[in-house]
Amino acid sequence: MSDDPAEPTPSSDEPAAAPAAEPDAVPADAAPVAAVPEPAPAPEPAPLPEPAPAPAPPRSPLRRFAFLAIPVIALLELGAHEVQIHSVVSDSQWLAARSAVRALMKPTDLVAMAPYWTDPIGREIFKDEILSVAREARPDATRFPRAIEVSIRGKHLPELEGWKVESKKSVGPVTLTVYDNPSYTPILDDLVDHVAPDKMAVSSGGVDCPLTHTRVETGALGFGPAIPADRFVCPTGGFIGASVLQPTDYRPHRCLFSPPLGGGKTLQVRFLDVTFGDVLHGHAALDWDSAARAGDPPVTLIWKVGDRILARIVTGNNDGWKPFELDTRDLKGQKGELIAEVSAPSPRNRLYCFEADTR
């Protein structure tokens, strides 16, 4: 027999001890755990209803008849065409007007067309006999004691406004109106007519510029007035002669074409044996194309009698056909020399012309 106490032997009648439950194990007799349902997805938002179309505006009665606009416009154009056709002056009517003008006109009269766009027609029909250079390229109308206005469609020349109507005559659709100049003063001396060796002397820098006769020189559009055949030509450059300039008023004007020399040089013109009156009346201008050259300097014209300066006329790009009138009453009745000096800082694009007369 052993001294150690014997281990107890389990009896068959005693129940065996249950094994230890696992921590996460669920007892067999436990009630089943209900499954947690997955959250239902959020329902998609219902689409917004389509907006109801706006009710159509009530149809204007004018819109219902809009299709009639095309034939109405066509009828108006046809009517305008008929008016134009019947308002055109025929060649025979222009010729009848020419005969009537011949019967009315005097050598000292101005004959002018109105409206101005009829001037090319007048030159073609009336010829140089009536529409001469002196009339067409006039400096202004003030030098004429009378004027015969040849007009159509009731149009009139603004330069004759304020003149007294002497008579009026209709030749078919052409109206001939004779006007009297209320402020006429006879011209004593026209300086543009002084282009001759015994009437004018020209110099530059103390060097004489002789009168020469050569061919007329001109160019295409934008090249300025024609260079006349008779002109004083300077050995150092420059010239002066009678030509026709078109300034920014887009009218032809007869004047002394004298482009400045530039560079501090002066073109001096001495008019000889001038008959003086109360005033020296004139104009100066740049050619229309030259006047469009922004930034180019003005041209200065100085009038002198001996060493005495009568006036300094400065003509720039925006001056157009610039008028001037100088008081010469202290010289009235005298004959003598009148000096004009033309200068500019630069000769580039300075197509310059001036004219003057004594009255």
Side-chain angles (χ1 to χ4, degrees), residues 252-300:
H253 298 291
R254 185 169 175 262
C255 50
L256 292 169
F257 186 25
S258 50
L261 302 174
K265 299 177 183 177
T266 298
L267 183 68
Q268 186 183 75
V269 185
R270 291 162 46 223
F271 298 95
L272 310 177
D273 204 26
V274 174
T275 302
F276 290 97
D278 290 315
V279 297
L280 179 68
H281 176 94
H283 299 79
L286 290 161
D287 177 74
W288 69 272
D289 186 57
S290 295
R293 313 296 177 126
D296 287 333
V299 179
T300 300

Side-chain angles (χ1 to χ4, degrees), residues 194-238:
H194 274 243
V195 183
D198 58 338
K199 293 184 176 182
M200 180 188 291
V202 181
S203 64
S204 175
V207 179
D208 290 340
C209 308
L211 179 66
T212 62
H213 179 81
T214 181
R215 64 184 179 85
V216 175
E217 296 180 23
T218 187
L221 181 65
F223 279 50
I227 301 175
D230 291 326
R231 57 186 184 263
F232 289 86
V233 180
C234 300
T236 56

Side-chain angles (χ1 to χ4, degrees), residues 77-94:
E77 290 184 346
L78 182 60
H81 179 65
E82 287 296 316
V83 170
Q84 287 178 335
I85 290 175
H86 288 91
S87 64
V88 171
V89 182
S90 66
D91 287 350
S92 61
Q93 291 169 328
W94 280 121

Side-chain angles (χ1 to χ4, degrees), residues 288-315:
W288 69 272
D289 186 57
S290 295
R293 313 296 177 126
D296 287 333
V299 179
T300 300
L301 171 65
I302 297 177
W303 289 103
K304 293 180 176 180
V305 175
D307 295 330
R308 170 186 154 205
I309 295 178
L310 295 179
R312 187 185 304 266
I313 313 296
V314 179
T315 305

Side-chain angles (χ1 to χ4, degrees), residues 24-51:
D24 294 333
V26 179
D29 57 351
V33 179
V36 178
E38 291 287 334
E44 292 185 4
L48 296 175
E50 292 288 335

